[in-house]
Amino acid sequence: MVMNSEQDESCLVCRLRYYIDISDRDERLLRKLEENQISIAAKADLNAQDNIDSLFVVKSGWLYSYVDLDETSRQVLRIHYPGDVVGLTDVAMQESFGTVKAATKAVLCPFPKKHLDDIFTQSPRLTALIFSLGMLEQVVLMDRLKIIGRMSAVDRVAHFLLEIHARLKIHAPKDVDGEFDIPLTQEAIGDAIGLTNVSVSNALTQLEFDGYLRCNKRRVTFREMEKLKEKINFKDRYFKIDTKWFPDA
Amino acid sequence: MVMNSEQDESCLVCRLRYYIDISDRDERLLRKLEENQISIAAKADLNAQDNIDSLFVVKSGWLYSYVDLDETSRQVLRIHYPGDVVGLTDVAMQESFGTVKAATKAVLCPFPKKHLDDIFTQSPRLTALIFSLGMLEQVVLMDRLKIIGRMSAVDRVAHFLLEIHARLKIHAPKDVDGEFDIPLTQEAIGDAIGLTNVSVSNALTQLEFDGYLRCNKRRVTFREMEKLKEKINFKDRYFKIDTKWFPDA
DNA sequence: CGATATCTTGATTATGCTCAACGACAGTGG
DNA sequence: CCACTGTCGTTGAGCATAATCAAGATATCG
């Protein structure tokens, strides 16, 4: 993605506008979060030490956070897409949980925790939205818990791909319609859903054999998406949230 | 737990006070959440339909939320203790995610989503705290993801018990010192960490054999807690949160 | 073009699941 | 008070799924 020098494009504002109207005043609050930006190369770790006390808005690229268990084992916790705020979970803690790695080259906007204050004190409506999106993230984690804890390897991979598709569909609808590029190695996918790269590969072969989808060169193409959703009882969590109870602007 | 007719005891206020000072004004806001209360029998499901649009403060008892995958399989997502707010994750969504079941008989205080408004609009400081505790919950979910995705059955059980101990230690320190009662069947424990009741039983036998702990009649007694924590690299997430950036009262 | 990372496939192994039987225990009603 | 019932926990035998190990094929990147 190309930077717009007029700062006319804010992924974050754009993302939030999907859910509620954003007043000019609120928009100014949000743009303050994107005043600075840094670039990061693909496969590089985001060094939290350099940016302690910082949160990040993702302007472009994919990232993911993970924890290492030992030399040979890690768990990928979350995928971060453009418009996401990275590091909110560290807000609560003094030390950071896991590491953030760039899956592609990426541009981030760092901002200090203190800027959350401004939002909390000045815009109850934005606060409610950010809070709700945090809860939505929790729901996604719980879905992940469910698939890792209780589903077969094939179903886990299917669910994971459908989840990504659902998410992209909202925030990059033009690029995504039954197919999308996934800049993750099969090892990273496995680390996200509790499998080895070998099992992921086998699962993809199986899904293709069964006619549900095709995955080639990091491009996923669904063939029978509805049938697949039904088979694994997939629910799209991203589509809408309940904003009726939000404070007025 | 006995109700105090003077309403002098609020689990929620007490819980939150652990982390920050609560002003009288904020305390009144919080007490509004506990104006009503309902009782629920052990093993009963909390019928969300009856209480749509409602959140609950847990006054006493243990509960847990879960989702069914099919007739034979479910995933337990979260354990709820006194002082917890149940249903926050549903705030974001129009339909509720999973079911809440009482593990013991329990007393809950239902309140409408709208009351969150009052907090968001009137107390940025409480808002920041509630937000942070939400993030803390996410961290706990990510820990769970890690153990389910990447740890052996024995280590999962050990981690799960240590997590509960850490949580109780903060909110019921008198009752908990290296041992505690756990009102969960082995089946429920298994459903929380992706195992069968059989594997949980075997894991407990193994942990006892190795001298780490003893579990009898739903009472857990640690023998070598520090050694166990080290063995599985356990981190206590509940101990403290970063409140430095919070807005002032 | 060479070097490395990633993906595929097959053989073998291990971990945890399923199924089943039994024992301990709590709650119930006669 | 006691048989009856159902829930819960334990144990063992056999099985299934995914992990490990390894080799080769393909893709990516400088």
Side-chain angles (χ1 to χ4, degrees):
Chain A
M1 177 180 290
V2 178
M3 285 309 100
N4 189 320
S5 56
E6 297 154 30
Q7 183 88 341
D8 227 33
E9 280 291 329
S10 162
C11 293
L12 181 60
V13 173
C14 166
R15 157 84 64 103
L16 298 187
R17 250 196 241 291
Y18 176 87
Y19 297 106
I20 60 171
D21 290 333
I22 308 274
S23 68
D24 290 351
R25 195 159 157 283
D26 283 351
E27 183 166 347
R28 276 194 300 278
L29 277 172
L30 291 170
R31 285 194 185 281
K32 263 181 53 188
L33 307 183
E34 297 181 77
E35 283 174 345
N36 303 307
Q37 66 182 45
I38 60 174
S39 288
I40 177 171
K43 297 181 200 173
D45 280 351
L46 180 59
N47 206 332
Q49 276 62 37
D50 297 350
N51 298 284
I52 196 71
D53 216 46
S54 259
L55 304 167
F56 302 87
V57 175
V58 179
K59 264 197 115 66
S60 66
W62 287 38
L63 305 95
Y64 58 85
S65 19
Y66 68 93
V67 279
D68 284 319
L69 283 92
D70 53 56
E71 307 312 318
T72 67
S73 171
R74 68 174 183 164
Q75 176 67 40
V76 167
L77 302 161
R78 181 172 294 173
I79 318 290
H80 306 286
Y81 311 85
D84 280 0
V85 177
V86 175
L88 278 178
T89 48
D90 293 340
V91 158
M93 315 203 309
Q94 272 129 345
E95 48 177 341
S96 90
F97 187 75
T99 315
V100 176
K101 187 186 285 287
T104 66
K105 68 179 156 45
V107 177
L108 303 175
C109 301
F111 66 92
K113 282 185 192 183
K114 261 286 175 194
H115 280 194
L116 278 183
D117 269 13
D118 300 342
I119 291 176
F120 287 172
T121 51
Q122 292 176 42
S123 176
R125 188 169 170 79
L126 274 187
T127 300
L129 178 59
I130 291 175
F131 182 79
S132 291
L133 291 178
M135 292 302 118
L136 189 58
E137 287 297 333
Q138 282 203 22
V139 171
V140 173
L141 285 178
M142 294 193 290
D143 264 333
R144 194 90 65 76
L145 216 53
K146 179 184 76 176
I147 69 170
I148 298 186
R150 290 296 183 220
M151 284 182 158
S152 71
V154 172
D155 289 0
R156 280 187 234 183
V157 171
H159 195 286
F160 185 71
L161 297 178
L162 285 171
E163 184 203 310
I164 292 175
H165 180 264
R167 183 131 182 182
L168 295 178
K169 188 89 176 145
I170 284 184
H171 302 299
K174 301 296 164 205
D175 304 339
V176 177
D177 186 29
E179 57 183 308
F180 61 94
D181 289 312
I182 178 170
L184 301 173
T185 63
Q186 295 184 356
E187 187 185 6
I189 296 172
D191 287 342
I193 55 179
L195 298 170
T196 59
N197 63 333
V198 177
S199 292
V200 173
S201 177
N202 291 335
L204 287 171
T205 304
Q206 182 67 45
L207 285 167
E208 180 167 351
F209 178 83
D210 292 342
Y212 288 117
L213 57 82
R214 195 164 153 53
C215 179
N216 204 0
K217 309 279 195 74
R218 307 265 173 97
R219 182 156 191 90
V220 177
T221 309
F222 289 101
R223 298 249 188 261
E224 296 276 9
M225 183 150 42
E226 291 313 314
K227 223 181 262 180
L228 185 59
K229 284 182 179 175
E230 199 167 340
K231 170 176 140 73
I232 66 176
N233 198 16
F234 175 83
K235 292 271 191 341
D236 185 345
R237 307 292 179 192
Y238 296 103
F239 184 55
K240 64 203 298 199
I241 63 175
D242 182 7
T243 58
K244 290 193 302 293
W245 61 279
F246 283 17
D248 292 326
Chain B
M1 176 180 288
V2 178
M3 288 305 100
N4 189 318
S5 55
E6 298 155 30
Q7 184 87 338
D8 227 32
E9 280 290 328
S10 161
C11 293
L12 182 60
V13 173
C14 165
R15 157 84 63 103
L16 298 187
R17 251 195 239 289
Y18 177 88
Y19 297 104
I20 60 171
D21 290 334
I22 307 275
S23 69
D24 291 349
R25 193 159 156 283
D26 283 351
E27 183 166 345
R28 276 194 300 277
L29 277 172
L30 292 170
R31 284 193 187 282
K32 263 181 51 188
L33 307 184
E34 297 181 77
E35 284 174 343
N36 304 308
Q37 65 182 44
I38 59 174
S39 289
I40 178 172
K43 298 181 199 173
D45 279 351
L46 180 59
N47 206 333
Q49 274 63 34
D50 298 349
N51 298 284
I52 196 70
D53 217 49
S54 259
L55 304 168
F56 302 88
V57 176
V58 180
K59 266 198 112 68
S60 67
W62 286 39
L63 305 95
Y64 58 86
S65 20
Y66 68 94
V67 279
D68 284 319
L69 284 91
D70 54 55
E71 308 311 320
T72 66
S73 171
R74 67 174 184 166
Q75 177 67 41
V76 167
L77 302 161
R78 179 171 295 170
I79 319 288
H80 306 286
Y81 310 85
D84 280 0
V85 177
V86 175
L88 279 179
T89 48
D90 293 340
V91 159
M93 315 205 307
Q94 273 129 345
E95 47 175 345
S96 91
F97 186 75
T99 314
V100 176
K101 188 186 284 287
T104 66
K105 69 178 155 46
V107 177
L108 303 174
C109 302
F111 67 91
K113 283 186 193 183
K114 262 285 175 193
H115 280 193
L116 278 184
D117 269 13
D118 301 341
I119 291 176
F120 287 172
T121 51
Q122 292 176 42
S123 176
R125 189 170 171 77
L126 273 188
T127 300
L129 179 59
I130 291 174
F131 182 79
S132 291
L133 290 178
M135 292 301 118
L136 189 58
E137 287 297 333
Q138 282 202 23
V139 171
V140 173
L141 285 178
M142 294 193 291
D143 264 333
R144 193 89 64 76
L145 216 55
K146 179 184 77 176
I147 69 169
I148 297 186
R150 291 296 184 219
M151 284 183 157
S152 72
V154 172
D155 288 0
R156 281 186 232 181
V157 171
H159 195 286
F160 185 72
L161 296 178
L162 285 170
E163 185 204 309
I164 291 176
H165 180 264
R167 183 131 183 183
L168 295 178
K169 189 87 176 150
I170 284 183
H171 302 298
K174 301 297 164 206
D175 305 338
V176 177
D177 186 27
E179 56 184 309
F180 61 94
D181 288 313
I182 179 171
L184 301 174
T185 63
Q186 293 185 355
E187 187 185 7
I189 295 172
D191 287 341
I193 56 179
L195 298 171
T196 59
N197 63 332
V198 178
S199 293
V200 172
S201 178
N202 290 336
L204 288 170
T205 303
Q206 182 67 45
L207 285 167
E208 179 166 351
F209 179 84
D210 293 343
Y212 288 118
L213 57 81
R214 195 165 153 51
C215 179
N216 204 0
K217 307 278 195 73
R218 309 265 174 95
R219 183 158 191 89
V220 177
T221 310
F222 289 101
R223 299 249 187 261
E224 294 276 7
M225 182 148 44
E226 290 314 313
K227 224 181 259 181
L228 186 57
K229 284 182 179 176
E230 199 167 340
K231 169 176 142 72
I232 64 176
N233 199 15
F234 175 84
K235 291 272 193 338
D236 185 345
R237 308 291 179 193
Y238 296 104
F239 184 55
K240 64 203 301 198
I241 63 176
D242 182 7
T243 59
K244 290 193 303 293
W245 61 278
F246 282 17
D248 292 326

